[in-house]
């Protein structure tokens, strides 16, 4: 229990530090950032006397950003060397049967991979104003174990079929959409456009997990993530409609089953 609490605190701290780092990077004086971010971040402060204070703060932000970059170079990272289709693991790897240590290791791997895969999807979709929270991936992982234990158990059964994999993908997408690990600027969280963006970013990652689980062609291919992005985009309207139904998992399962059956 204490280990899990410590892990939760660490993950939330990482998310908060990433947010601060984003603000700092967008406030640089050399034109690589957005000055409006600095004005927003300091809007609650009393007005400064004299002129040029914003430029001074921008230079300070640049210095802090460079110092953090140097510090990061000395800290070991658990990030993939390259993020592509080979980064994706099968659902059985992310949700194994086993003891507490195995479960904790799988949860760490899940949120790490989901973070970097979602980041890659955002880059592919040319979305650069979003922030990704690992804590929400961790929450979705825990919810999957709590609510969908029957589906996860079916994954470990001998001769797991396509339908079981599709149902697990459907449940995972529903739980990820509920947690909303990707935040887009200052838009209202429940707008139609926001929901569509959530699906565009998360459905490809879930589909890629499903493809890695089927493993029909051996090791995952580098272009698997690109294939998942294109396929999810083509079926975006159908996925969105299914997500809006009273039983979204039941509605999404045949959609994922069809995609998994026909994609390489």
């Amino acid at each position: 229990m204490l280990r899990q609490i410590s892990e939760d605190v660490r993950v939330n701290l990482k998310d908060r530090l990433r947010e601060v780092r984003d603000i700092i990077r967008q406030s640089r004086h050399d034109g690589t950032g957005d000055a409006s971010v600095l004005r927003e971040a300091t809007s609650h402060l009393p007005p400064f006397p004299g002129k040029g204070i914003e430029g001074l703060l921008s230079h300070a932000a640049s210095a802090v950003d460079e110092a953090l970059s140097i510090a990061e170079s000395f800290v070991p990272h658990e990030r993939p060397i390259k993020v592509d289709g080979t980064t994706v693991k099968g659902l059985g790897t992310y949700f194994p049967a086993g003891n507490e240590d195995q479960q904790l290791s799988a949860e760490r791997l899940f949120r790490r991979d989901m973070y970097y895969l979602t980041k890659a999807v955002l880059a592919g979709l040319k979305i650069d104003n979003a922030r990704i929270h690992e804590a929400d991936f961790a929450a979705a992982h825990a919810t999957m174990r709590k609510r969908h234990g029957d589906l996860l158990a079916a994954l470990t059964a001998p001769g797991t079929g396509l339908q079981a994999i599709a149902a697990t993908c459907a449940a995972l997408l529903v739980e990820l959409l509920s947690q909303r690990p990707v935040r887009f600027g200052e838009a209202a969280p429940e707008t139609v456009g926001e929901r569509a963006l959530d699906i565009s970013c998360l459905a490809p990652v879930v589909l890629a997990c499903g493809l890695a689980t089927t493993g029909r062609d051996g090791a995952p291919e580098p272009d698997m993530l690109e294939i998942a992005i294109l396929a999810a985009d083509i079926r975006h309207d159908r996925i969105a409609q299914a997500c809006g139904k009273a039983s979204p998992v039941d509605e999404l399962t045949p959609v994922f089953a069809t995609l998994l059956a026909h994609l390489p």
Side-chain angles (χ1 to χ4, degrees):
M1 174 64 86
L2 290 177
R3 288 180 60 189
Q4 184 59 51
I5 292 174
S6 176
E7 187 75 9
D8 292 343
V9 171
R10 190 173 74 88
V11 173
N12 279 282
L13 180 59
K14 284 173 64 179
D15 288 338
R16 300 293 83 76
L17 289 175
R18 282 182 177 132
E19 290 181 356
V20 172
R21 186 69 184 277
D22 285 343
I23 292 174
I24 291 173
R25 280 179 170 166
Q26 293 179 62
S27 304
R28 292 179 62 95
H29 77 285
D30 52 14
T32 59
D34 183 356
S36 64
V37 176
L38 177 63
R39 287 193 292 269
E40 180 182 345
T42 59
S43 60
H44 65 289
L45 299 176
F48 290 96
K51 298 180 179 180
I53 190 64
E54 188 171 299
L56 179 61
L57 290 175
S58 295
H59 277 79
S62 299
V64 172
D65 185 29
E66 290 166 4
L68 289 173
S69 296
I70 293 172
E72 279 185 337
S73 66
F74 293 100
V75 178
H77 294 285
E78 294 181 1
R79 66 180 61 178
I81 297 175
K82 184 178 180 182
V83 180
D84 55 22
T86 62
T87 306
V88 187
K89 314 296 188 303
L91 292 166
T93 300
Y94 294 132
F95 299 97
N99 58 32
E100 183 180 350
D101 287 339
Q102 291 173 310
Q103 303 292 347
L104 191 57
S105 295
E107 185 267 333
R108 287 197 196 102
L109 181 64
F110 174 79
R111 57 178 167 76
R112 185 205 70 167
D113 285 357
M114 295 302 103
Y115 176 85
Y116 287 108
L117 289 167
T118 303
K119 195 171 183 178
V121 172
L122 287 168
L125 296 174
K126 303 295 190 295
I127 299 175
D128 56 6
N129 64 334
R131 290 173 181 161
I132 309 170
H133 289 174
E134 274 192 50
D136 294 321
F137 284 121
H141 188 277
T143 304
M144 281 292 293
R145 290 211 163 277
K146 182 178 180 180
R147 295 182 181 173
H148 305 288
D150 54 337
L151 295 178
L152 299 179
L155 288 177
T156 61
T160 300
L162 197 65
Q163 194 71 13
I165 298 172
T168 307
C169 287
L172 180 57
L173 180 58
V174 169
E175 299 305 339
L176 287 175
L177 290 173
S178 176
Q179 295 297 332
R180 300 195 66 251
V182 185
R183 311 296 168 85
F184 305 93
E186 300 300 323
E190 296 300 329
T191 62
V192 175
E194 197 84 355
R195 181 73 164 184
L197 280 175
D198 284 335
I199 293 172
S200 295
C201 296
L202 298 171
V205 177
V206 172
L207 179 57
C209 290
L211 289 171
T213 307
T214 60
R216 292 189 297 271
D217 299 321
E221 296 294 332
D223 60 355
M224 181 187 293
L225 187 60
E226 296 178 13
I227 292 172
I229 292 173
L230 291 173
D233 181 60
I234 292 172
R235 302 301 293 166
H236 183 278
D237 290 345
R238 180 69 186 89
I239 293 172
Q241 291 172 4
C243 289
K245 299 294 185 179
S247 301
V249 174
D250 293 337
E251 297 288 338
L252 281 168
T253 297
V255 179
F256 276 111
T258 300
L259 290 172
L260 293 172
H262 293 90
L263 290 176

